[in-house]
Each structure stands twice: as C-alpha cells, then as structure tokens.
Amino acid sequence: MKYSFLRDNLIFVVVLFSLFACHRKRVLRDREIVGDIRQLSEVIPENIIERLEYIADNQDVMEDSVPALRSGALNYFYQQTNNNPVWSSNGVLDGQADSMYYYIIHAEESGLLPADYHSVALDQAMKRIREDANAKKDATLWAQVDLLMTDAFMKMAMHLRFGTGPRDSITLRKDSVYSDTLLANYLNSALHQHIIGPTLRAQEPQHNGYQLLKSAWVNFKGKYSEMKWDSLPLTYTDTAGYRQLLINRLVQSGHLDTSGGHSSDTSLLKKGIRAFQKEFNMYEDGQAGKKTIQTMNKTFADWEVQVALNMDRWRKLPDTLPQRYIMVNVPGYRMELVDSGTVAVTSKVIVGAPRTRTPLLNSRMTNFVMYPYWRVPFSITIKEMLPAIQRDRAYLAKKNLEIIDSHGNAISPDSVKWSKLSKNYFPYVLRQMDGIENSLGIMKFNFMNKYAVYLHDTNARGLFANSYRALSHGCVRVQQWDSLSMYLTKDDTRHPRDSMRRWLANGDKKQIDIQHSVPIYFRYFTAEGRDGRLVLHEDIYGEDRILRKQMKR
C-alpha cells in the first residue's frame, strides 16, 4: 500500500512537470553571427523553424508581441520554400522587401495601422542591417525579418480585401477569408514577378467611391498630418479672450490669415469660421456654435479613424456592383443612381431622425406609384395622430385623412369613439388621400424590405435646404424624384416620356412597373472623396462610435 502511494505521487509529479514543460514559453536565441555571409543560407532555415515553433507555442503571437495572421499560413508557406528566406539573399535585402516596407509604413493611407504589420520591429531590424556590419551576419535577425515580412504581406492582403471590421447583415461579400494556399500562391507570385506593390493594390476595392476616398484622404493627410492645434472650451462666451482663442485655432489650421488685418476684427473671425465650416461640410453661418467647436476640437487622429472606418465599409461590398444600381448614403443625405460606372442621377435626400432611423439594407426597386395613398404606420398613428385627433376632430380633414376599417372600407369619423382608442385598441388604419398635400408627395418608389420603408417625394420640400436632414420617420424623401422616375423608364417603350408627363399633369394615379428591377443599397458612409477633397458627414446614428469599438480603433 505504501508502494502504491509513492507510485501514484510520482506519476502525479511527472505529469505535472510534463504539463509545465509543454506550456513553458519557448525562448528564442538572441543572435547567431556567422563567420562568412555565405553561411547564412545554411543557418537561417534553422532559425526560421525555431521561430515558427515559437509562434505556434505562443498562441500565434510573434516575437514583437504582434499577433500573426495565422501560424498555419506561415508554416504552409515555408514548407514550400524548405524554410529558406524569401526576402533576402546572402545578407542583402531583396528589392521587394523595400516595397513591402513602404506599404507597411504607409498603411494608414489605406485605412490600416502600420503597427499591425510589425512596423516597429521591422524599422529597428532594418536600421540595424543598414548600419551595423555584424547585424548583416546575424542569422536570427534575417530569420526575424523574413517571418515578419511574410506575415505582414499575408495580413495586409487579407485586410485590404476583407477589412478588419465585423461582417453584418448587409455585407454583400460571400467570401471572408483567404486560404493558406491562396496566400502562399499570392506571395510566391508577387516575389518571383517583383510585383509586391501591384499585388497588394489589387486587393483593395476598385469601386470609384473607395478610390475617390483614398485619393482625398492622401491629400487631406498631406495637408494636416503635421499640424497641431489647440482645443477650445466647449461653452462659447462672447468675450475678447474667447474670440482670440478662436482666431488662434483657425490660424493654426490655416483657415484664417491675420497678416492683412486686425486680429480682433469680427468680420475676419467670421470669415475664418466660414472657411472651416466649408471644408468640414458644415452649415456656413460663420458662428462658433456647439457642433463647430466640437469639430474644431477633433484631432488629426480622429479624422484618420473616421476615414479608416469608411474604407472598411467599402470592403464589405462585393468586388463588382451591378451595371445599374441606386445607392443611398444615409448620413451624407444623398442618393445616386449609377449606370455603367457613371452617376446618372443624384439627389439630396431626407432620412430618418435618430429616434426613427432609416435602416441599412439591400433590395431591388420594382415599381413606383404616381399620386400614392399613404397608409400611416401604426407607430405614427398612435404616437402623433391619435392624440391630435382626440384633441381636435378637424385634424382629419386638415391632413386629408380617411379611416379604413378591418374590412378595407372607408368609414365616417363620426362613427368612431375616439376617446376609447389607444395603442392597445385601434382596429383601424389611417390613410392619407393622394394629392399635393399628401406626405408622400407625388411619387412613391417601392422595393421589398422588412422595414416597410421606401423612397418618396414630400409635401415639405423646403426641408431640402437644411444642412441637417435626419428628419423623417424612416423613409427616404427624394428631392429629384422626377429625374429618378424618368431615368428608370428611359428605355421602356411601354411608358413613353410624353405619357409620363401627361399622367403627372393630369394627376393620374398609376403604378409603373420597372422593366428591369434595379438593385438598391442603403449604406452609412461618413467620409467621401469628391474632386480630390475629403467630405466628412456627421455620425447621425452613432454608427462610427460602434464600429470604432469593434475595430479597436
């Protein structure tokens, strides 16, 4: 019995030691200097193997504490090379290593972070190689550089194609990851053909919107990345001291030049504020209001993140879009109909207020209706219209509303006991009759979606002059509804343009079926590029804040 006890304890100690040994962090040798550079080809493979084992044992974290894309991808690639280095030869960096390094340190131009691609470790290693003769004979250093470069290429290829943010319900890409085999083939081909740069560029979205955003961002970065500016108190006070702070801030970012006038001149200050508001896509009233001050207090890093988030959103679209489609940019208050790569129709739009958001979606537009009825949604009926009707029965006539019972029949308002109705009991539907005063205006564009939203005209057309247009209950009001309808039917002989004009003039209520349904996308882009200029939009629904947390930016 004593022997059994000792044996069991011995087994426990052995198992415990084995577990500790298996999970003990592997230690990499610091350096291995060869006597002759020609010996590197013999020693570097051993160091590469050692580092591959280290990465696998270290939960895919590399020696610079930056996670690898996948240890499996690295292992597969180096199996093809017999663990030989691919970014250097006989103590000399290959020209493609310089190309890769260039893309790493300029990663932010594509909305990525250089640090994710080992920029710090590579910068230190390459500096040693260039300046220290002994470093050129260090096999461990060459192995480190090789693995970091390879992982950087693989990771960047993945991130440029698929992004770093999460996929969501409207992501149209069917693929979301590159296989180990494909990554290895990409890298081998790029190295052998000396096309590291073109290979990486080919991973980025080729959509015009993405390319315009990237180009505009490079221009913006060139202008502001080296500038520093002061923060302002959030509460504006109309004092000489505060005005001077504003002037200093505008001078720092180049929006005001005080060399030709007195620095305390009020008209000069307003001119500077307007210049700032114009560049940052704000209402140009020349007043330092709350939103203007908040925007002035943003740092260059804030703009960098905002652009990065929107580049990532482009990466969630498929490689190619249909020949003809409609894109609604919700925070940009803009609709575009794109045909064969050209914007054929553009329009200001009004979108849902933050409490009644316009949903992001994918669908196909199938028809539009002239002089539509408006079936008032239940939420609007209960929250807005029922209280108004209970206060004043004349509200129904003022809004041209009729009451529809459960059988689909219009009934007299006098037959309804309005005081008895509530959100728990409302067996009717309110319907607004067609006409100029109809909330849908003259035209409604239909497409299938679970949110019961659509595009439509409006009887409150003056609101299109507002700079802030998140005002609707969720549907999208289109200023250029006429141009949109005419373009959708321009090649349809069933609906000649003359007939369409006549029907509109006569007030005819008609449904026009679109000959070939048109894909429609509602998206959320708070940064765009136009004519080389970065156009920034307010994050009206807070989607940027959410995505920033998800992407850990």
Side-chain angles (χ1 to χ4, degrees):
M1 187 171 180
K2 182 177 180 181
Y3 170 77
S4 175
F5 175 77
L6 290 172
R7 182 194 62 192
D8 291 346
N9 277 275
L10 181 61
I11 290 172
F12 174 76
V13 170
V14 170
V15 170
L16 191 63
F17 178 80
S18 298
L19 287 171
F20 175 78
C22 288
H23 290 85
R24 185 174 57 194
K25 190 173 180 178
R26 187 182 297 271
V27 178
L28 294 170
R29 65 187 95 177
D30 289 336
R31 62 178 59 194
E32 185 171 359
I33 307 297
V34 298
D36 189 322
I37 281 181
R38 289 174 294 183
Q39 295 176 297
L40 286 172
S41 61
E42 300 174 9
V43 185
I44 291 175
E46 298 173 7
N47 281 272
I48 286 177
I49 292 171
E50 182 179 286
R51 277 164 168 75
L52 288 171
E53 292 173 347
Y54 171 90
I55 295 166
D57 289 349
N58 200 33
Q59 298 181 319
D60 283 8
V61 176
M62 300 185 76
E63 58 189 286
D64 63 343
S65 300
V66 176
L69 175 67
R70 291 191 301 268
S71 60
L74 291 172
N75 276 295
Y76 179 82
F77 176 76
Y78 281 102
Q79 285 172 10
Q80 316 307 308
T81 71
N82 293 318
N83 300 307
N84 286 309
V86 295
W87 299 95
S88 66
S89 178
N90 294 323
V92 178
L93 279 172
D94 187 270
Q96 293 307 292
D98 290 330
S99 295
M100 188 68 238
Y101 184 63
Y102 176 88
Y103 270 85
I104 291 169
I105 62 175
H106 289 86
E108 72 279 357
E109 292 181 3
S110 298
L112 305 176
L113 291 172
D116 288 343
Y117 311 98
H118 315 289
S119 61
V120 176
L122 281 169
D123 183 63
Q124 295 171 350
M126 293 178 77
K127 185 176 181 180
R128 287 178 57 197
I129 288 169
R130 293 187 180 109
E131 298 177 359
D132 185 349
N134 279 332
K136 295 179 181 179
K137 297 180 181 181
D138 188 351
T140 64
L141 186 60
W142 286 111
Q144 179 193 39
V145 168
D146 218 79
L147 278 163
L148 293 177
M149 285 275 187
T150 296
D151 181 66
F153 175 90
M154 291 180 169
K155 195 186 294 185
M156 189 172 285
M158 279 274 289
H159 291 169
L160 288 173
R161 176 55 63 94
F162 304 111
T164 59
R167 293 163 66 87
D168 54 34
S169 61
I170 61 167
T171 298
L172 288 168
R173 294 198 67 92
K174 294 181 179 179
D175 51 346
S176 61
V177 68
Y178 277 146
S179 67
D180 297 348
T181 304
L182 191 57
L183 285 170
N185 291 342
Y186 271 146
L187 181 50
N188 271 321
S189 177
L191 288 169
H192 292 155
Q193 297 181 57
H194 305 286
I195 53 170
I196 287 291
T199 300
L200 289 173
R201 282 197 299 273
Q203 307 311 310
E204 296 190 73
Q206 302 305 305
H207 304 301
N208 191 46
Y210 176 89
Q211 296 297 332
L212 289 173
L213 174 58
K214 183 177 180 181
S215 177
W217 169 237
V218 170
N219 293 338
F220 186 92
K221 181 175 179 289
K223 181 178 179 181
Y224 288 111
S225 62
E226 299 301 321
M227 285 187 183
K228 303 294 180 184
W229 48 78
D230 299 328
S231 293
L232 297 166
L234 290 177
T235 303
Y236 176 76
T237 54
D238 191 15
T239 63
Y242 197 95
R243 288 195 295 274
Q244 189 60 52
L245 291 176
L246 271 172
I247 289 169
N248 295 343
R249 165 64 183 82
L250 292 166
V251 168
Q252 288 168 344
S253 59
H255 292 96
L256 183 59
D257 181 3
T258 58
S259 61
H262 197 276
S263 62
S264 62
D265 187 344
T266 302
S267 62
L268 189 68
L269 176 57
K270 286 188 174 182
K271 180 180 178 182
I273 294 173
R274 286 195 185 96
F276 180 88
Q277 290 169 331
K278 180 178 182 180
E279 178 159 10
F280 288 91
N281 196 31
M282 307 179 75
Y283 181 58
E284 299 171 39
D285 60 359
Q287 302 297 318
K290 181 179 178 181
K291 287 185 179 180
T292 297
I293 296 299
Q294 287 176 339
T295 305
M296 285 185 179
N297 283 345
K298 287 192 174 184
T299 64
F300 176 79
D302 291 326
W303 303 124
E304 186 173 52
V305 170
Q306 185 169 343
V307 171
L309 300 180
N310 285 279
M311 285 184 168
D312 202 86
R313 288 176 175 130
W314 277 106
R315 292 181 176 115
K316 298 304 184 286
L317 290 170
D319 291 341
T320 57
L321 289 169
Q323 179 178 341
R324 187 167 68 158
Y325 64 91
I326 295 169
M327 179 75 77
V328 175
N329 181 11
V330 175
Y333 309 130
R334 184 181 177 93
M335 181 218 75
E336 292 181 344
L337 187 154
V338 179
D339 195 342
S340 304
T342 300
V343 178
V345 179
T346 184
S347 177
K348 289 181 178 181
V349 298
I350 293 168
V351 301
R355 293 183 62 184
T356 52
R357 298 182 179 189
T358 293
L360 306 183
L361 55 80
N362 309 309
S363 188
R364 300 186 73 89
M365 186 174 289
T366 55
N367 65 74
F368 57 88
V369 177
M370 295 179 176
Y371 295 96
Y373 288 122
W374 180 36
R375 185 181 184 277
V376 182
F378 181 77
S379 60
I380 299 176
T381 297
I382 297 301
K383 292 178 182 178
E384 298 180 23
M385 293 189 170
L386 180 57
I389 296 168
Q390 289 173 333
R391 288 193 301 269
D392 181 8
R393 192 77 54 80
Y395 179 89
L396 289 163
K398 291 177 184 176
K399 296 295 183 180
N400 202 20
L401 294 168
E402 60 180 0
I403 302 96
I404 308 299
D405 65 15
S406 58
H407 301 292
N409 299 317
I411 61 174
S412 169
D414 296 331
S415 66
V416 178
K417 296 181 179 180
W418 294 101
S419 61
K420 302 291 185 182
L421 301 180
S422 68
K423 68 177 181 179
N424 297 318
Y425 177 70
F426 195 90
Y428 308 105
V429 169
L430 296 184
R431 186 171 72 183
Q432 192 172 48
M433 303 296 285
D434 64 298
I436 299 299
E437 294 305 316
N438 185 288
S439 296
L440 302 186
I442 292 174
M443 200 166 288
K444 171 190 173 190
F445 301 84
N446 294 313
F447 46 91
M448 290 293 295
N449 67 91
K450 64 181 180 182
Y451 308 100
V453 298
Y454 34 83
L455 305 186
H456 65 86
D457 175 29
T458 177
N459 61 351
R461 293 172 183 152
L463 295 177
F464 286 111
N466 292 5
S467 59
Y468 181 85
R469 296 198 295 277
L471 305 167
S472 80
H473 290 93
C475 289
V476 175
R477 306 174 193 174
V478 182
Q479 185 179 40
Q480 301 299 328
W481 57 269
D482 191 12
S483 299
L484 177 60
S485 64
M486 292 300 171
Y487 197 89
L488 289 172
T489 57
K490 71 183 183 71
D491 298 321
D492 190 349
T493 56
R494 301 172 305 166
H495 308 297
R497 187 161 292 188
D498 290 344
S499 298
M500 295 270 289
R501 293 293 184 201
R502 185 173 63 255
W503 296 333
L504 286 170
N506 293 340
D508 293 343
K509 182 179 176 64
K510 284 186 174 292
Q511 175 174 308
I512 309 298
D513 294 325
I514 300 170
Q515 192 169 24
H516 303 289
S517 62
V518 180
I520 182 167
Y521 311 114
F522 285 11
R523 288 298 187 271
Y524 198 92
F525 293 112
T526 58
E528 299 179 278
R530 292 184 202 156
D531 302 319
R533 187 173 68 90
L534 187 63
V535 180
L536 298 157
H537 305 298
E538 185 181 352
D539 182 18
I540 54 175
Y541 297 162
E543 293 291 327
D544 279 5
R545 293 196 299 273
I546 295 170
L547 184 56
R548 184 172 185 171
K549 289 180 181 178
Q550 292 172 332
M551 292 174 61
K552 299 179 180 179
R553 295 294 297 262

